[in-house]
């Protein structure tokens, strides 16, 4: 009887030890390189925008019909699992970034980029609104190489309309770590919170891709 009990105990312990290793990747470490995601409605895509404080940038894209999910986080830095305190020092390499998941059958990447351009000063290096530091730099980071051409074309067209150099980064996403819970949906939870984006642009985002009557 003792042998049976010991054997069962060993089996249970082995299963417990094995199970966590099935999903050993950090919960903050997003699937970098994933080109699209399938949800209940079909195929959706993702794009990442760095535009100063991520609170306002996330709120902007949450207004757009066809955007199915958003998350704020830290992108393209030097370490694993950074926190806000680390990123705030300005030497981590990370940029405050918003992951935007969207349905391309409803809203185009071109439209999302156009709204993003209106939300930033494209010639301001490491500064948006009252926020200063490399963590507040501007950038568009893609996971689908096919998006790179459009992003380059849009930035080139933007550069032709202003008399200063455009400093928006355009590159593949290297890494992305979801920020702390209190940063997620921040302006929905704190309507009076700080935001460098004009309220009028939020209104435009709600209307620009609204359903036709």
């Amino acid at each position: 009887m003792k042998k049976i009990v010991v054997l069962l105990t060993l089996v249970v312990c082995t299963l417990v030890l094995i199970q966590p290793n099935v999903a050993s990747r950090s919960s903050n470490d997003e699937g970098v390189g994933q080109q699209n995601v399938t949800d209940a409605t079909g195929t959706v895509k993702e794009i990442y925008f760095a535009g100063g404080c991520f609170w306002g940038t996330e709120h902007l894209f949450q207004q757009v019909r066809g955007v199915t999910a958003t998350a704020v986080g830290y992108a393209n830095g030097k370490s694993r699992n950074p926190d806000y305190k680390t990123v705030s020092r300005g030497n981590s390499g990370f940029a405050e970034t918003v992951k935007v998941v969207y349905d391309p059958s409803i809203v185009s990447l071109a439209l999302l980029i156009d709204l993003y351009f209106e939300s930033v000063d494209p010639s301001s290096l490491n500064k948006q609104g009252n926020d200063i530091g490399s963590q507040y730099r501007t950038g568009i980071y893609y996971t689908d190489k096919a998006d790179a051409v459009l992003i380059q074309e849009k930035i080139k067209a933007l550069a032709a309309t202003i008399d200063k150099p455009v400093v928006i980064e355009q590159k593949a996403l290297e890494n992305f770590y979801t920020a702390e819970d209190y940063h997620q949906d921040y302006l929905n939870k704190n309507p009076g919170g700080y935001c460098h984006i004009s309220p009028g642009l939020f209104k435009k985002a709600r209307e620009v891709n609204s359903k036709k009557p």
Side-chain angles (χ1 to χ4, degrees):
M1 185 64 181
K2 284 185 178 181
K3 289 183 178 180
I4 294 174
V5 172
V6 170
L7 181 59
L8 288 173
T9 302
L10 287 173
V11 170
V12 171
C13 289
T14 301
L15 289 173
V16 170
L17 288 171
I18 290 175
Q19 185 62 30
N21 292 330
V22 173
S24 58
R25 185 164 61 95
S26 167
S27 60
N28 281 344
D29 194 354
E30 297 293 331
V32 176
Q34 186 176 12
Q35 295 183 7
N36 46 59
V37 181
T38 300
D39 67 1
T41 63
T43 299
V44 295
K45 294 190 65 175
E46 60 187 41
I47 192 73
Y48 295 73
F49 292 104
C53 176
F54 48 24
W55 295 342
T57 305
E58 179 184 40
H59 194 66
L60 173 66
F61 290 110
Q62 286 177 336
Q63 311 308 308
V64 182
R65 189 176 72 87
V67 170
T68 61
T70 59
V72 300
Y74 315 114
N76 288 9
K78 304 172 184 176
S79 59
R80 289 180 61 85
N81 297 318
D83 56 21
Y84 184 71
K85 183 178 180 180
T86 300
V87 174
S88 294
R89 296 189 186 114
N91 60 357
S92 68
F94 285 100
E96 289 198 7
T97 301
V98 179
K99 175 182 180 179
V100 177
V101 181
Y102 66 98
D103 184 338
S105 70
I106 299 175
V107 61
S108 68
L109 176 58
L111 187 148
L112 296 176
I113 293 174
D114 287 342
L115 283 172
Y116 166 74
F117 284 164
E118 291 194 54
S119 73
V120 299
D121 178 347
S123 63
S124 180
L125 182 64
N126 299 335
K127 182 181 185 301
Q128 293 295 317
N130 297 328
D131 301 306
I132 301 174
S134 62
Q135 69 271 31
Y136 298 114
R137 66 186 183 271
T138 52
I140 305 175
Y141 310 128
Y142 57 86
T143 58
D144 185 348
K145 290 182 180 179
D147 293 335
V149 174
L150 174 63
I151 295 168
Q152 290 168 2
E153 289 176 348
K154 297 291 282 185
I155 289 180
K156 183 178 179 180
L158 174 66
T161 67
I162 61 177
D163 57 4
K164 295 179 181 179
V166 172
V167 295
I168 298 173
E169 290 185 334
Q170 45 184 313
K171 61 196 305 185
L173 184 74
E174 297 168 7
N175 50 43
F176 178 82
Y177 297 93
T178 306
E180 295 84 345
D181 286 345
Y182 70 90
H183 287 300
Q184 308 298 328
D185 302 312
Y186 186 86
L187 290 182
N188 288 333
K189 297 182 242 181
N190 303 276
Y194 166 76
C195 181
H196 66 286
I197 298 175
S198 165
L201 188 55
F202 297 141
K203 181 175 184 294
K204 180 175 181 178
R206 287 191 292 272
E207 297 174 350
V208 71
N209 194 40
S210 59
K211 290 182 179 180
K212 297 291 187 290

